Amino acid sequence: WGDLAVAGIEPWHVVEFRDLHGQTPAKANNLHIALSALLAWSVPRGWRSDNPCHHVKKLKIGEGYSPWSWDEIQHFRKHARAHMWQAGALALYTGQRLSDVVAMRWRDIDGGVMRVKQGKTKKRLAIAMHKDLRALLDSLPRRDEHMLTNSRGKPWTVDGFKASWQAQMDEPVMKRLREAGLVFHGLRKSAVVFLLEAGCTDAEVSAITGQSREMVEHYARAVNQRKLAASAVLKWEADDGQRREQGFKFIWRRRRSP
């Protein structure tokens, strides 16, 4: 649109622009926000009289990628090729994105701490390593400065890993994981869920994953809901037991009465 007049943009243009990226609704909405900011800037400068983006709704976004359950993680660990599980384990035990996982280097380890500079947010994190992660890293061959390498001993590119990951998930043994809609990024969400279920605070989880406190709180609501629901059912079942016991005592007393 660089050569088009700002005044000529209509709401239907915005709709087409948004829907062009409809397969990735978060990206489409971010582009919508950026375009709206540009057009809003032009209104007080007399380039146009209104912002056409105000007439176009953002796309609905669901709850995002599903976290993997522990049983699903163990199924993948058992049946996946070693270099696929190694990448999945790094994502799970560090709570990082794929792009940050494939970039991890051996020099990033300082004692029992993994140092990460996130590519997306530029945040620098120092993550204490889970004992299972330490055991995994101790078993890895050091064929490159990168922790993760492909079957040829070369460091992964993001696109190369995605292709190999898809091939792995297309195998018949992974059918149950495919049908559950599980993707690599869901392992990062699993890390958040497991940390919250272990009793970590929002601040503690955010310190590991680098996510905002608001994002962690979003996950925490779902975890807390499950815990509260489970607690409620236990109390209900206990109350039912007491009610039955009281009922039996009442019947027994009636039968013994003259």
Side-chain angles (χ1 to χ4, degrees), residues 52-80:
C53 291
H54 290 171
H55 304 285
V56 180
K57 294 182 178 179
K58 298 183 182 68
L59 297 176
K60 290 184 178 180
I61 300 177
E63 289 299 308
Y65 301 115
S66 298
W68 297 49
S69 69
W70 187 246
D71 180 61
E72 290 163 340
I73 290 169
Q74 292 306 306
H75 178 87
F76 185 80
R77 179 179 184 177
K78 179 179 179 181
H79 298 288

Short mmCIF file of all heavy atoms in Angstrom, two decimals, residues 52-80:
data_model
loop_
_atom_site.label_atom_id
_atom_site.label_comp_id
_atom_site.label_asym_id
_atom_site.label_seq_id
_atom_site.Cartn_x
_atom_site.Cartn_y
_atom_site.Cartn_z
N PRO A 52 -10.58 4.08 9.47
CA PRO A 52 -11.41 2.97 8.99
C PRO A 52 -11.24 1.69 9.81
O PRO A 52 -12.12 0.82 9.76
CB PRO A 52 -10.94 2.78 7.55
CG PRO A 52 -9.54 3.32 7.53
CD PRO A 52 -9.55 4.46 8.49
N CYS A 53 -10.16 1.57 10.54
CA CYS A 53 -9.95 0.37 11.36
C CYS A 53 -10.97 0.27 12.49
O CYS A 53 -11.23 -0.83 13.00
CB CYS A 53 -8.54 0.37 11.95
SG CYS A 53 -7.24 0.13 10.73
N HIS A 54 -11.55 1.42 12.89
CA HIS A 54 -12.53 1.40 13.97
C HIS A 54 -13.81 0.68 13.55
O HIS A 54 -14.61 0.30 14.41
CB HIS A 54 -12.86 2.83 14.39
CG HIS A 54 -11.73 3.51 15.11
ND1 HIS A 54 -11.73 4.85 15.44
CD2 HIS A 54 -10.55 3.02 15.57
CE1 HIS A 54 -10.62 5.16 16.05
NE2 HIS A 54 -9.88 4.07 16.14
N HIS A 55 -14.00 0.48 12.26
CA HIS A 55 -15.20 -0.21 11.77
C HIS A 55 -14.97 -1.70 11.57
O HIS A 55 -15.88 -2.42 11.14
CB HIS A 55 -15.64 0.42 10.43
CG HIS A 55 -15.89 1.89 10.51
ND1 HIS A 55 -17.01 2.43 11.11
CD2 HIS A 55 -15.15 2.95 10.07
CE1 HIS A 55 -16.96 3.75 11.03
NE2 HIS A 55 -15.83 4.09 10.40
N VAL A 56 -13.78 -2.18 11.86
CA VAL A 56 -13.42 -3.58 11.61
C VAL A 56 -13.03 -4.24 12.94
O VAL A 56 -12.14 -3.75 13.64
CB VAL A 56 -12.26 -3.69 10.60
CG1 VAL A 56 -11.91 -5.16 10.36
CG2 VAL A 56 -12.64 -3.01 9.29
N LYS A 57 -13.69 -5.34 13.26
CA LYS A 57 -13.39 -6.05 14.51
C LYS A 57 -12.15 -6.93 14.35
O LYS A 57 -11.86 -7.42 13.26
CB LYS A 57 -14.57 -6.92 14.93
CG LYS A 57 -15.82 -6.14 15.31
CD LYS A 57 -16.92 -7.09 15.75
CE LYS A 57 -18.17 -6.31 16.17
NZ LYS A 57 -19.27 -7.23 16.59
N LYS A 58 -11.45 -7.12 15.44
CA LYS A 58 -10.33 -8.05 15.44
C LYS A 58 -10.86 -9.49 15.40
O LYS A 58 -12.00 -9.75 15.77
CB LYS A 58 -9.45 -7.85 16.67
CG LYS A 58 -8.80 -6.47 16.77
CD LYS A 58 -7.91 -6.40 17.99
CE LYS A 58 -7.28 -5.02 18.12
NZ LYS A 58 -8.28 -3.99 18.45
N LEU A 59 -10.01 -10.39 14.96
CA LEU A 59 -10.37 -11.81 14.92
C LEU A 59 -10.38 -12.39 16.33
O LEU A 59 -9.60 -11.99 17.19
CB LEU A 59 -9.39 -12.59 14.05
CG LEU A 59 -9.35 -12.20 12.56
CD1 LEU A 59 -8.25 -12.99 11.85
CD2 LEU A 59 -10.69 -12.44 11.90
N LYS A 60 -11.27 -13.34 16.54
CA LYS A 60 -11.33 -14.01 17.84
C LYS A 60 -10.15 -14.97 17.97
O LYS A 60 -9.79 -15.66 17.03
CB LYS A 60 -12.64 -14.77 18.00
CG LYS A 60 -13.87 -13.87 18.14
CD LYS A 60 -15.12 -14.68 18.41
CE LYS A 60 -16.33 -13.78 18.60
NZ LYS A 60 -17.56 -14.57 18.85
N ILE A 61 -9.58 -14.99 19.14
CA ILE A 61 -8.46 -15.89 19.42
C ILE A 61 -8.88 -16.81 20.55
O ILE A 61 -9.42 -16.37 21.57
CB ILE A 61 -7.20 -15.11 19.83
CG1 ILE A 61 -6.78 -14.19 18.69
CG2 ILE A 61 -6.06 -16.05 20.19
CD1 ILE A 61 -5.58 -13.33 19.01
N GLY A 62 -8.63 -18.10 20.39
CA GLY A 62 -9.00 -19.08 21.40
C GLY A 62 -8.03 -19.05 22.57
O GLY A 62 -7.31 -18.08 22.81
N GLU A 63 -7.98 -20.15 23.30
CA GLU A 63 -7.13 -20.25 24.47
C GLU A 63 -5.67 -20.52 24.11
O GLU A 63 -4.83 -20.68 24.97
CB GLU A 63 -7.65 -21.36 25.39
CG GLU A 63 -8.95 -21.01 26.08
CD GLU A 63 -8.81 -19.77 26.98
OE1 GLU A 63 -7.89 -19.76 27.81
OE2 GLU A 63 -9.60 -18.85 26.82
N GLY A 64 -5.39 -20.62 22.81
CA GLY A 64 -4.01 -20.87 22.41
C GLY A 64 -3.71 -22.35 22.36
O GLY A 64 -4.60 -23.19 22.37
N TYR A 65 -2.44 -22.66 22.30
CA TYR A 65 -2.02 -24.05 22.17
C TYR A 65 -2.24 -24.80 23.48
O TYR A 65 -1.96 -24.28 24.56
CB TYR A 65 -0.55 -24.11 21.77
CG TYR A 65 -0.27 -23.41 20.46
CD1 TYR A 65 0.55 -22.28 20.42
CD2 TYR A 65 -0.82 -23.87 19.27
CE1 TYR A 65 0.81 -21.63 19.22
CE2 TYR A 65 -0.56 -23.23 18.07
CZ TYR A 65 0.25 -22.12 18.05
OH TYR A 65 0.50 -21.48 16.87
N SER A 66 -2.70 -26.03 23.37
CA SER A 66 -2.97 -26.83 24.55
C SER A 66 -1.67 -27.29 25.19
O SER A 66 -0.73 -27.67 24.49
CB SER A 66 -3.81 -28.06 24.17
OG SER A 66 -5.06 -27.68 23.64
N PRO A 67 -1.61 -27.31 26.53
CA PRO A 67 -0.44 -27.87 27.19
C PRO A 67 -0.45 -29.39 27.06
O PRO A 67 -1.51 -30.00 26.95
CB PRO A 67 -0.62 -27.44 28.65
CG PRO A 67 -2.10 -27.29 28.81
CD PRO A 67 -2.61 -26.79 27.48
N TRP A 68 0.71 -29.99 27.08
CA TRP A 68 0.82 -31.44 27.07
C TRP A 68 0.64 -31.95 28.49
O TRP A 68 1.17 -31.39 29.44
CB TRP A 68 2.21 -31.87 26.58
CG TRP A 68 2.56 -31.49 25.18
CD1 TRP A 68 2.43 -30.27 24.59
CD2 TRP A 68 3.14 -32.35 24.19
NE1 TRP A 68 2.90 -30.30 23.30
CE2 TRP A 68 3.35 -31.56 23.03
CE3 TRP A 68 3.53 -33.68 24.18
CZ2 TRP A 68 3.91 -32.08 21.87
CZ3 TRP A 68 4.10 -34.21 23.03
CH2 TRP A 68 4.28 -33.41 21.88
N SER A 69 -0.11 -33.05 28.64
CA SER A 69 -0.19 -33.70 29.94
C SER A 69 1.09 -34.49 30.17
O SER A 69 1.85 -34.76 29.23
CB SER A 69 -1.40 -34.63 30.00
OG SER A 69 -1.20 -35.76 29.15
N TRP A 70 1.34 -34.88 31.42
CA TRP A 70 2.54 -35.65 31.71
C TRP A 70 2.52 -36.99 30.98
O TRP A 70 3.56 -37.46 30.50
CB TRP A 70 2.69 -35.86 33.21
CG TRP A 70 3.99 -36.50 33.58
CD1 TRP A 70 4.19 -37.72 34.12
CD2 TRP A 70 5.30 -35.93 33.40
NE1 TRP A 70 5.53 -37.96 34.32
CE2 TRP A 70 6.24 -36.87 33.88
CE3 TRP A 70 5.77 -34.71 32.90
CZ2 TRP A 70 7.61 -36.64 33.86
CZ3 TRP A 70 7.14 -34.49 32.87
CH2 TRP A 70 8.04 -35.45 33.34
N ASP A 71 1.35 -37.60 30.87
CA ASP A 71 1.24 -38.87 30.16
C ASP A 71 1.58 -38.69 28.68
O ASP A 71 2.25 -39.54 28.08
CB ASP A 71 -0.19 -39.42 30.32
CG ASP A 71 -0.38 -40.74 29.60
OD1 ASP A 71 0.33 -41.71 29.95
OD2 ASP A 71 -1.23 -40.81 28.69
N GLU A 72 1.14 -37.60 28.08
CA GLU A 72 1.44 -37.34 26.67
C GLU A 72 2.93 -37.07 26.47
O GLU A 72 3.52 -37.49 25.47
CB GLU A 72 0.60 -36.16 26.18
CG GLU A 72 -0.88 -36.51 26.07
CD GLU A 72 -1.79 -35.29 25.98
OE1 GLU A 72 -1.36 -34.18 26.38
OE2 GLU A 72 -2.94 -35.45 25.53
N ILE A 73 3.53 -36.37 27.42
CA ILE A 73 4.97 -36.11 27.34
C ILE A 73 5.75 -37.42 27.40
O ILE A 73 6.70 -37.63 26.64
CB ILE A 73 5.40 -35.17 28.48
CG1 ILE A 73 4.83 -33.76 28.22
CG2 ILE A 73 6.92 -35.10 28.60
CD1 ILE A 73 4.96 -32.82 29.39
N GLN A 74 5.34 -38.32 28.30
CA GLN A 74 6.04 -39.60 28.43
C GLN A 74 5.85 -40.47 27.18
O GLN A 74 6.76 -41.20 26.79
CB GLN A 74 5.54 -40.34 29.68
CG GLN A 74 5.95 -39.67 30.98
CD GLN A 74 7.45 -39.43 31.07
OE1 GLN A 74 8.26 -40.35 30.91
NE2 GLN A 74 7.83 -38.19 31.32
N HIS A 75 4.69 -40.37 26.55
CA HIS A 75 4.46 -41.11 25.31
C HIS A 75 5.42 -40.61 24.22
O HIS A 75 6.03 -41.42 23.50
CB HIS A 75 3.01 -40.92 24.85
CG HIS A 75 2.70 -41.61 23.56
ND1 HIS A 75 2.29 -42.93 23.50
CD2 HIS A 75 2.73 -41.18 22.27
CE1 HIS A 75 2.10 -43.27 22.24
NE2 HIS A 75 2.36 -42.23 21.47
N PHE A 76 5.56 -39.30 24.13
CA PHE A 76 6.47 -38.73 23.13
C PHE A 76 7.91 -39.12 23.44
O PHE A 76 8.68 -39.50 22.54
CB PHE A 76 6.34 -37.21 23.10
CG PHE A 76 7.16 -36.55 22.03
CD1 PHE A 76 6.73 -36.51 20.73
CD2 PHE A 76 8.39 -35.98 22.34
CE1 PHE A 76 7.50 -35.92 19.72
CE2 PHE A 76 9.16 -35.38 21.36
CZ PHE A 76 8.71 -35.36 20.04
N ARG A 77 8.28 -39.05 24.69
CA ARG A 77 9.65 -39.40 25.09
C ARG A 77 9.98 -40.85 24.73
O ARG A 77 11.09 -41.14 24.27
CB ARG A 77 9.81 -39.20 26.59
CG ARG A 77 11.20 -39.55 27.12
CD ARG A 77 11.30 -39.30 28.61
NE ARG A 77 12.63 -39.53 29.11
CZ ARG A 77 13.01 -39.34 30.37
NH1 ARG A 77 12.12 -38.91 31.25
NH2 ARG A 77 14.25 -39.57 30.73
N LYS A 78 9.02 -41.71 24.89
CA LYS A 78 9.24 -43.14 24.63
C LYS A 78 9.37 -43.43 23.14
O LYS A 78 10.18 -44.27 22.73
CB LYS A 78 8.10 -43.96 25.23
CG LYS A 78 8.23 -45.45 25.00
CD LYS A 78 7.06 -46.20 25.65
CE LYS A 78 7.16 -47.69 25.40
NZ LYS A 78 6.01 -48.43 26.02
N HIS A 79 8.58 -42.76 22.31
CA HIS A 79 8.48 -43.14 20.90
C HIS A 79 9.19 -42.20 19.93
O HIS A 79 9.40 -42.57 18.77
CB HIS A 79 7.01 -43.25 20.51
CG HIS A 79 6.25 -44.29 21.27
ND1 HIS A 79 6.44 -45.64 21.05
CD2 HIS A 79 5.33 -44.19 22.26
CE1 HIS A 79 5.64 -46.33 21.87
NE2 HIS A 79 4.96 -45.47 22.61
N ALA A 80 9.56 -41.00 20.36
CA ALA A 80 10.18 -40.04 19.45
C ALA A 80 11.66 -40.36 19.24
O ALA A 80 12.30 -41.02 20.07
CB ALA A 80 10.03 -38.62 19.99
#
